[in-house]
Amino acid sequence: MLKVEARQVERNFSIRNSLGRKVKLTVLDHFDLDIREGEFLSILGPSGCGKSTFLNILAGLDDYDRGEILVDQKPLQKRSFDRGMVFQGYALLPWRTVLGNLELGLEIRRVPKRERRAIASHYLELVGLTRFANQYPSQLSGGMRQRVAIARVLAYRPNLLLMDEPFGALDAQTRENLQIELLRIWEADKKTILFITHSIDEAIILSDRVAIMTARQGQIKEITEIDLPRPRTEEVRNSAEFAQIRQKVWILLRDEALKAESCYAGGI
Amino acid sequence: MSAGSPRNPQRFSNLVARWCGLALFLALWETSTRLGWFSSTYLSPPSVVFQALVSLLWRGELGRHFLISLRRVLIGLSLSVVVGVTFGLFIGYFKTVERYLDLLFQAFRQMSAFALFPVFILLFGLGELSKALIIFWASLWPVLLNTCDGVKHIDKVLIQSAQSMGASRTFIFGRIILPAVAPEIFTGIRLGGSYCVMAVVAAEMIGASSGLGYLIMYSQETFNIAEMYAGIISLAILGMGLNFVLRTAGNFFSAWKEE
């Protein structure tokens, strides 16, 4: 079963070049991608390659100019109760407590107050932050804030999770801890996750498949299956298979980057 | 969380220092007039002013003028809150509109309400409408421009995250935009409130027969100097009271902004 089918998607932006003239910038160009039901798929690529644009389109935050996107075999809706997005910048409401933030999605779905409380408390426990229920986001560390943001999205049980470099602003240790924690949570109910990152290691340890995008071409160039056994733990990072896959992905990414660079240089 | 304990020694000494300054000033004022450094014809000693204050209060006159001024301030301020917040949110939300109106608003803001009073009198006569308008004008700009500024600086990702959860426009407006801008709105209202108190005096000194501004002017004209000072002091109390209420309300909505 396919969760998302993107066919020949095109997205253009109008920007001003160095001379101040308006020029067309094509960010997604004949972009194709299938996301399977219940899989963990990462899109890996350098900044500016269009991966976040695709995620924003799926989240209903951006439009596309051409092509077709199906979610559950139906055309993508701009407004939907079935998606959850986790941002790099956490996006927590600073005037609400941790628990209040967790209730946001449930409030939008008009879940009654008492039920809201109960569900929010449950998910807070899932990410191990029950003690901080009545604190404000500004009183938490970055890692804790991102845990809250993840719990907030899980709490309203969307079937498609979109994550835009969620661990990008965290220090290395916290980042690795949260990766394992995300896996633990995901293993429990296997919701479909589309994860954006520019870290090769992160993409490999988390994903069932890694889609590689390169700069300025606006397409998925290659999809690699990651057949590391699950459930995955910290130790996977040190295994020979991990190193092998890492090497393969690294070469793919480098070759694509070199190709992109030479064709870009040739085109101008 | 904050230093809220009344036993906090730092806070206690602050309180003492604040009242010390005021007490010292009153003592200096009292002695200087008693010793005849200033003629009591022009400057009544505070003890006499206090007696005048009590007598005005006793006769019910002070209360009447005070309430009339307060009512005018509140009418003008409410009007500018409604208009200022509505337009401020609208203009801040649509950047293009803001670009067209910015210079105009900067010019309007510099246009003193006092300078416009003759215009209002010309157009609307000497009644309550002109008074309401001058107070409205004085407080509108800080409310409007602060609201507008607040909307412009909302963290976009907060709106996006609510959108990705499927929130309606009404929800985003009421639960994301309004609370996010509330601190800036209240800063504007507080500023507007103090402008209101200044403007009401001007409005009541020209062609009025009631209000604290009138009381001050009338007492001066009838050479009732102690009552004049009593009026001035009442006006300061009105301003401080209003500021206190607005600050308390503002703190309630912007407690999260501190730290």
Side-chain angles (χ1 to χ4, degrees), chain A residues 79-96:
Chain A
R79 202 180 146 202
S80 158
F81 277 2
D82 208 28
R83 297 178 296 231
M85 177 131 166
V86 179
F87 297 82
Q88 185 178 353
Y90 322 123
L92 300 175
L93 303 179
W95 57 87
R96 286 193 180 211

Side-chain angles (χ1 to χ4, degrees), chain B residues 210-244:
Chain B
S210 59
L212 288 175
Y214 163 79
L215 176 70
I216 295 165
M217 207 63 184
Y218 178 78
S219 307
Q220 190 257 8
E221 280 165 4
T222 55
F223 237 73
N224 203 334
I225 299 307
E227 289 192 359
M228 180 186 82
Y229 285 111
I232 293 172
I233 287 169
S234 309
L235 202 61
I237 292 170
L238 173 67
M240 284 164 70
L242 187 68
N243 191 44
F244 174 78

Side-chain angles (χ1 to χ4, degrees), chain B residues 71-81 132 135-136 139 196:
Chain B
R71 210 188 68 167
R72 285 178 180 142
V73 165
L74 290 182
I75 289 173
L77 187 60
S78 321
L79 207 63
S80 56
V81 168
I135 297 165
F136 166 69
S139 55
C196 273

Side-chain angles (χ1 to χ4, degrees), chain B residues 40-68:
Chain B
S40 60
T41 326
Y42 304 118
L43 186 65
S44 318
S47 53
V48 177
V49 173
F50 182 73
Q51 278 166 18
L53 201 72
V54 170
S55 123
L56 272 170
L57 207 61
W58 193 245
R59 299 204 305 263
E61 252 179 275
L62 187 65
R64 189 171 64 88
H65 290 301
F66 189 92
L67 287 178
I68 286 170

Side-chain angles (χ1 to χ4, degrees), chain A residues 94-224:
Chain A
W95 57 87
R96 286 193 180 211
T97 61
V98 166
L99 204 59
N101 265 289
L102 253 71
E103 288 181 41
L104 185 65
L106 300 163
E107 236 171 280
I108 291 170
R109 279 152 190 77
R110 298 177 193 277
V111 175
K113 178 109 187 139
R114 184 182 293 212
E115 208 182 323
R116 226 155 63 195
R117 261 293 119 98
I119 298 173
S121 305
H122 169 75
Y123 281 91
L124 198 58
E125 201 185 326
L126 187 73
V127 294
L129 290 177
T130 304
R131 282 193 306 128
F132 300 93
N134 297 316
Q135 307 257 17
Y136 286 86
S138 59
Q139 297 169 297
L140 306 182
S141 69
M144 284 152 91
R145 285 183 211 186
Q146 198 55 291
R147 277 195 184 90
V148 174
I150 290 171
R152 177 172 74 173
V153 166
L154 293 173
Y156 61 85
R157 307 181 67 79
N159 284 314
L160 177 60
L161 287 175
L162 307 167
M163 303 195 152
D164 192 5
E165 301 193 31
F167 307 143
L170 304 174
D171 64 87
Q173 188 59 50
T174 311
R175 187 172 184 154
E176 290 185 359
N177 291 343
L178 275 179
Q179 288 164 0
I180 298 301
E181 201 167 327
L182 177 61
L183 279 179
R184 174 178 65 79
I185 293 168
W186 176 73
E187 304 275 1
D189 56 2
K190 299 250 173 170
K191 295 272 169 62
T192 312
I193 296 186
L194 178 62
F195 193 99
I196 301 282
T197 181
H198 55 236
S199 154
I200 297 179
D201 286 23
E202 184 167 85
I204 295 172
I205 195 153
L206 293 173
S207 316
D208 294 318
R209 294 192 299 155
V210 174
I212 292 161
M213 252 182 120
T214 54
R216 298 191 186 91
Q217 286 174 311
Q219 292 175 6
I220 300 288
K221 281 300 172 187
E222 177 93 31
I223 297 182
T224 306

